[in-house]
């Protein structure tokens, strides 16, 4: 039986095509199609229901120092309201999940991937048992407003939120509804993510969607938007066998931090370079290159595998990300992705494909 | 509900087929298929002159999210492909029964007997 978010009725009213995703019934698009929604988000603003994602609180004075032992990042240095994108690592250096940690009055708020919710929560509960209090937030919905018009729309509802910079958050109200709002997102655009009580979610969604610049965007365009922005998707670029160094996430490391699961392997890779590395691929053909496609060189030697691939609506051609042998991953290198036994030329390119437009 | 064209035959794999003069069968995908796939971004057409047997995979339609195989309803030879789809695959979204994909010249039209008429196909997609 698929779970529903508090906005399920609203999605159906908006004409969404619903699909199963991570155990939830979720909108893939709303009738005008993925490309339309994608381009609308890039040019105006998109509204997303991301309530399937997990939210929890870690309470206690020592929450930050304890959580820092579970990630390679600086958590103790987070100022009130500040956010950090990081990963939970396993003892082998692989990634349990990529998460966002926010310092709030009560401790730390964490947002995790829907498909990883159960394993993350039990990992956190076990590791923090007796040290901090873990509190699941199943009664909170999560909405996102993304795109160049997001800030002007938000300014009509919350001046405080509209004044935030990227990866800052505040606790505030919108027309009397209590919200936690952060300047963050998963599209590469400026925008906001709003945690609000389940019972208030539909009302807030209705207000945002009533704005002329705002259209609902489904999971289909959420995926193409994040791909263009070069952002990792758990289960694709990231998994329990891929380290954060291989995923190109060393920018989130705290310098000198050595006490987190898998640190030996991860720090060794950081020093000597990993054998494989996440890269962008521009596809020099109209043929989309998709996840699982093997990447080879001129001599048909396998060098890696495509982790995500799709048509880029902004560029009008296919793009992909791949995990490649490091010596093959030099920028500008021409390789081939195998599609239906054909060699499709691809060029190793830097990420993101579309520049980020975060307000820093 | 959109009415399915009565002059076409339909496959379970959501192709439509139209029998033309000289035992030529024109093939495309149904409105239901294009709606399920969503925005099409690439169509891999079969090679002209290729000999195919009925139910053989001979083209691929790719949407933003996924790639889907197309099968020929009859055995024969590919005698025409709609090359305008190479630059404008979205024609299939906009006009699925006009934007044909390929034509097969066959010596054996009996393969068409396995296809459905509009009423039978309607039952399939209503399920």
């Amino acid at each position: 039986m698929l779970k529903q978010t508090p906005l399920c009725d609203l999605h159906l009213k908006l004409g969404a095509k619903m699909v199963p995703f991570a155990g939830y019934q979720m909108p893939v698009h709303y009738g005008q199609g993925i490309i339309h929604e994608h381009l609308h988000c890039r040019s105006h603003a998109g509204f997303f229901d991301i309530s399937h994602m997990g939210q929890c609180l870690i309470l206690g004075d020592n929450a930050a120092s304890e959580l820092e032992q579970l990630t390679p990042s600086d958590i103790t240095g987070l100022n009130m309201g500040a956010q950090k994108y990081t990963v939970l690592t396993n003892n082998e250096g692989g990634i349990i999940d990529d998460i966002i940690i926010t310092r709030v009055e009560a401790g730390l708020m964490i947002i995790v991937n829907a498909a990883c919710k159960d394993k993350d929560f039990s990992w956190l509960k076990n590791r923090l048992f007796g040290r901090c209090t873990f509190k699941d937030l199943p009664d909170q919905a999560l909405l996102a407003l993304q795109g160049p018009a997001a800030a002007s729309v938000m300014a009509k509802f919350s001046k405080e939120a509209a004044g935030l910079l990227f990866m800052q958050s505040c606790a505030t109200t919108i027309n009397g509804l209590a919200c936690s709002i952060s300047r963050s997102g998963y599209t590469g655009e400026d925008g906001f993510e709003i945690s609000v009580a389940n019972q208030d979610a539909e009302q807030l969604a209705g207000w945002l969607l009533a704005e002329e610049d705002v259209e609902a965007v489904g999971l289909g365009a959420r995926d193409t938007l994040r791909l263009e922005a070069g952002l990792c998707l758990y289960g694709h670029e990231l998994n329990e066998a891929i380290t954060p160094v291989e995923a190109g996430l060393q920018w989130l490391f705290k310098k000198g931090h050595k006490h987190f699961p898998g640190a030996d392997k991860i720090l060794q890779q950081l020093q000597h370079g990993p054998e494989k590395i996440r890269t962008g691929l521009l596809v020099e053909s109209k043929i989309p290159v998709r996840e699982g496609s093997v990447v080879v060189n001129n001599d048909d030697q396998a060098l890696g595998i495509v982790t995500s691939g799709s048509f880029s609506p902004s560029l009008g051609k296919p793009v992909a990300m791949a995990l490649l042998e490091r010596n093959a991953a030099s920028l500008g290198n021409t390789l081939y992705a195998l599609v239906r036994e054909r060699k499709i030329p691809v060029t190793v390119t830097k990420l993101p494909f579309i520049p980020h437009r975060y307000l820093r | 509900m959109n009415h399915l064209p009565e002059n076409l035959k339909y496959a379970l794999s959501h192709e439509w087929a139209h029998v033309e003069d000289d035992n030529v069968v024109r093939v495309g995908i149904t409105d239901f298929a294009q709606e399920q796939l969503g925005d099409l971004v690439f169509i891999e057409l079969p090679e002209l002159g290729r000999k195919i047997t009925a139910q053989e995979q001979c083209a691929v339609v790719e949407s933003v999210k996924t790639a889907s195989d197309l099968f020929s309803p009859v055995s024969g030879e590919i005698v025409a492909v709609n090359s305008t789809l190479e630059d404008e695959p979205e024609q299939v979204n906009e006009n699925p029964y006009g934007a044909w994909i390929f034509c097969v010249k066959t010596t054996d039209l009996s393969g068409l007997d396995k296809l459905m008429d509009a009423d039978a196909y309607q039952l399939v997609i209503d399920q």
Side-chain angles (χ1 to χ4, degrees):
Chain A
M1 182 69 184
L2 290 174
K3 288 178 271 191
Q4 297 184 343
T5 76
L7 296 185
C8 195
D9 289 346
L10 178 67
H11 297 314
L12 294 171
K13 257 184 266 172
L14 292 171
K17 178 173 150 68
M18 304 297 278
V19 295
F21 180 82
Y24 284 81
Q25 193 182 350
M26 295 298 291
V28 65
H29 66 74
Y30 294 86
Q32 294 205 72
I34 292 172
I35 294 176
H36 170 89
E37 291 173 13
H38 178 114
L39 296 175
H40 187 86
C41 182
R42 288 263 183 258
S43 62
H44 297 78
F47 167 87
F48 303 74
D49 176 18
I50 49 173
S51 304
H52 57 311
M53 299 187 81
Q55 302 179 64
C56 68
L57 278 171
I58 310 293
L59 307 173
D61 295 341
N62 53 345
S65 56
E66 290 296 336
L67 203 58
E68 196 166 284
Q69 310 295 306
L70 299 181
T71 82
S73 297
D74 182 4
I75 309 303
T76 51
L78 281 179
N79 293 323
M80 190 57 63
Q83 295 191 304
K84 185 80 192 171
Y85 170 74
T86 187
V87 290
L88 294 172
T89 48
N90 64 25
N91 293 329
E92 290 73 49
I95 297 170
I96 297 171
D97 197 7
D98 60 332
I99 63 176
I100 296 226
I101 299 177
T102 308
R103 186 165 166 212
V104 296
E105 288 292 343
L108 296 170
M109 184 182 171
I110 308 183
I111 297 176
V112 309
N113 281 302
C116 298
K117 208 186 291 189
D118 293 343
K119 79 169 177 178
D120 289 2
F121 287 0
S122 53
W123 171 261
L124 290 169
K125 275 190 257 189
N126 286 334
R127 286 302 186 112
L128 301 174
F129 182 76
R131 298 189 173 94
C132 306
T133 307
F134 174 93
K135 191 167 180 281
D136 188 3
L137 297 172
D139 300 325
Q140 290 290 114
L142 196 61
L143 318 179
L145 180 67
Q146 301 278 298
S152 59
V153 170
M154 183 55 78
K156 296 183 189 176
F157 294 98
S158 168
K159 288 269 180 295
E160 192 184 358
L164 295 168
L165 294 177
F166 183 60
M167 299 306 268
Q168 290 181 342
S169 73
C170 66
T172 185
T173 58
I174 289 182
N175 297 339
L177 307 182
C179 302
S180 298
I181 306 182
S182 60
R183 196 137 199 170
S184 55
Y186 194 45
T187 59
E189 296 296 327
D190 184 21
F192 303 87
E193 290 173 308
I194 309 165
S195 178
V196 63
N198 285 342
Q199 71 226 37
D200 297 334
E202 187 161 345
Q203 182 153 43
L204 180 54
W207 292 334
L208 294 172
L209 285 165
E211 291 294 318
E212 198 185 342
D213 280 330
V214 181
E215 281 186 19
V217 178
L219 288 185
R222 184 168 161 82
D223 189 43
T224 50
L225 287 159
R226 72 90 198 168
L227 176 59
E228 286 183 353
L231 300 172
C232 296
L233 175 59
Y234 196 82
H236 301 257
E237 283 70 41
L238 311 178
N239 64 40
E240 301 250 0
I242 296 173
T243 71
V245 181
E246 291 162 349
L249 298 178
Q250 52 267 35
W251 55 270
L252 57 76
F253 287 21
K254 177 183 185 176
K255 213 174 170 193
H257 181 20
K258 292 177 185 147
H259 301 288
F260 58 91
D264 288 354
K265 178 172 177 183
I266 289 170
L267 295 176
Q268 198 174 2
Q269 282 189 347
L270 196 59
Q271 197 182 345
H272 302 293
E275 285 177 20
K276 49 188 179 175
I277 183 88
R278 178 172 64 102
T279 55
L281 300 177
L282 272 179
V283 180
E284 312 296 346
S285 157
K286 289 179 181 173
I287 301 179
V289 168
R290 303 201 186 259
E291 183 183 1
S293 178
V294 175
V295 179
V296 301
N297 62 12
N298 240 341
D299 303 325
D300 294 326
Q301 184 188 359
L303 299 171
I305 196 148
V306 171
T307 52
S308 291
S310 185
F311 178 80
S312 157
S314 303
L315 298 176
K317 59 189 231 168
V319 296
M321 287 195 275
L323 199 58
L324 293 186
E325 285 185 17
R326 182 162 51 109
N327 53 14
S330 41
L331 296 182
N333 204 12
T334 296
L335 299 169
Y336 303 89
L338 299 181
V339 179
R340 299 187 282 275
E341 291 160 16
R342 277 167 46 194
K343 286 170 79 169
I344 308 302
V346 295
T347 305
V348 177
T349 187
K350 70 177 192 329
L351 295 168
F353 297 104
I354 299 289
H356 294 159
R357 296 201 276 187
Y358 304 140
L359 186 78
R360 294 188 191 266
Chain B
M1 189 179 74
N2 290 328
H3 272 290
L4 293 167
E6 298 282 345
N7 59 332
L8 304 179
K9 303 276 265 175
Y10 298 89
L12 263 178
S13 44
H14 305 289
E15 294 90 1
W16 57 257
H18 183 249
V19 183
E20 324 250 311
D21 297 339
D22 286 340
N23 284 1
V24 169
V25 178
R26 193 180 294 269
V27 180
I29 66 168
T30 67
D31 190 30
F32 176 82
Q34 71 78 21
E35 200 179 314
Q36 290 294 309
L37 287 164
D39 295 327
L40 294 183
V41 296
F42 179 74
I43 297 177
E44 188 166 289
L45 299 166
E47 236 175 280
L48 269 179
R50 178 176 153 188
K51 303 270 195 296
I52 50 171
T53 54
Q55 314 313 321
E56 189 179 334
Q57 185 271 334
C58 64
V60 182
V61 287
E62 300 216 31
S63 66
V64 178
K65 288 215 66 95
T66 189
S68 184
D69 288 336
L70 247 69
F71 302 88
S72 175
V74 291
S75 301
E77 179 184 339
I78 302 287
V79 291
V81 296
N82 185 354
S83 52
T84 68
L85 299 179
E86 287 174 351
D87 287 325
E88 295 171 0
E90 64 274 15
Q91 286 183 58
V92 174
N93 292 117
E94 289 154 8
N95 182 14
Y97 298 114
W100 58 279
I101 295 174
F102 60 87
C103 292
V104 192
K105 187 173 171 70
T106 183
T107 49
D108 178 16
L109 281 170
S110 69
L112 293 173
D113 299 342
K114 297 199 181 89
L115 300 189
M116 292 170 275
D117 64 13
D119 289 344
Y121 181 65
Q122 186 67 53
L123 290 175
V124 168
I125 60 179
D126 283 347
Q127 276 176 1

